[in-house]
Amino acid sequence: MIQINGWLEIIPTYLNEDVHTEIDEEAIYSQVESILSNLEYNDMKIITKNGIRIINFFLCTNHKTAEAEEMLQTFERIAKVATGSFGLLHVWDEYEDVDNFRVLVARKGHVDWEKDEFFSPNSKMIYDDLN
């Protein structure tokens, strides 16, 4: 099973817009919308509340699928286009590591995999010891 849960707050840049007037925020938002509109397997949208733009990510599938791969790539692509964006994807892929969650972390235009310290190892943190 593969489970993906997370969010990404969309911010065009982490740089000071008053200093970096060459940054076209609307063009960046357009690029993000284009990424989302060209998805083949997922239907993701930007949710705006109180001026904050968020994309929620959720997937639960029995096997590695194109849908899962597209979701991970979308998170990374958007974080690199809108470099001020930040967010987390908690990923449990029992085909890679049955006992541990990993987190895809986006901040300042970089996306990195990290071990999830809150839920790993899930056999002891989440479930009763069966032995």
Side-chain angles (χ1 to χ4, degrees):
M1 184 170 82
I2 298 171
Q3 181 177 335
I4 301 172
N5 280 299
W7 53 271
L8 185 64
E9 183 169 333
I10 309 304
I11 302 172
T13 182
Y14 63 88
L15 300 172
N16 183 335
E17 297 92 354
D18 294 333
V19 175
H20 294 275
T21 56
E22 75 280 4
I23 296 170
D24 184 349
E25 290 186 10
E26 288 309 313
I28 293 170
Y29 285 129
S30 261
Q31 285 181 291
V32 171
E33 289 288 356
S34 178
I35 291 168
L36 294 176
S37 68
N38 288 314
L39 295 178
E40 187 173 346
Y41 303 103
N42 292 282
D43 182 25
M44 293 187 279
K45 294 179 179 23
I46 296 174
I47 299 165
T48 303
K49 293 201 177 189
N50 201 27
I52 296 174
R53 298 172 189 195
I54 298 271
I55 301 171
N56 289 312
F57 293 78
F58 176 73
L59 177 69
C60 197
T61 182
N62 287 332
H63 304 285
K64 285 191 175 186
T65 62
E67 183 181 19
E69 187 58 37
E70 182 183 68
M71 187 171 282
L72 296 171
Q73 289 175 358
T74 300
F75 182 88
E76 187 168 355
R77 286 180 65 207
I78 292 172
K80 289 182 176 182
V81 165
T83 60
S85 299
F86 61 93
L88 303 170
L89 279 189
H90 295 265
V91 179
W92 179 40
D93 181 348
E94 72 177 1
Y95 298 103
E96 278 193 32
D97 188 347
V98 71
D99 203 35
N100 292 292
F101 280 83
R102 295 183 307 148
V103 181
L104 197 54
V105 180
R107 57 185 164 233
K108 289 191 171 181
H110 297 282
V111 179
D112 300 299
W113 283 103
E114 297 181 11
K115 182 179 176 185
D116 185 325
E117 299 294 334
F118 294 106
F119 295 115
S120 298
N122 68 24
S123 62
K124 293 180 182 159
M125 298 259 192
I126 299 172
Y127 302 109
D128 284 342
D129 187 5
L130 301 176
N131 296 327

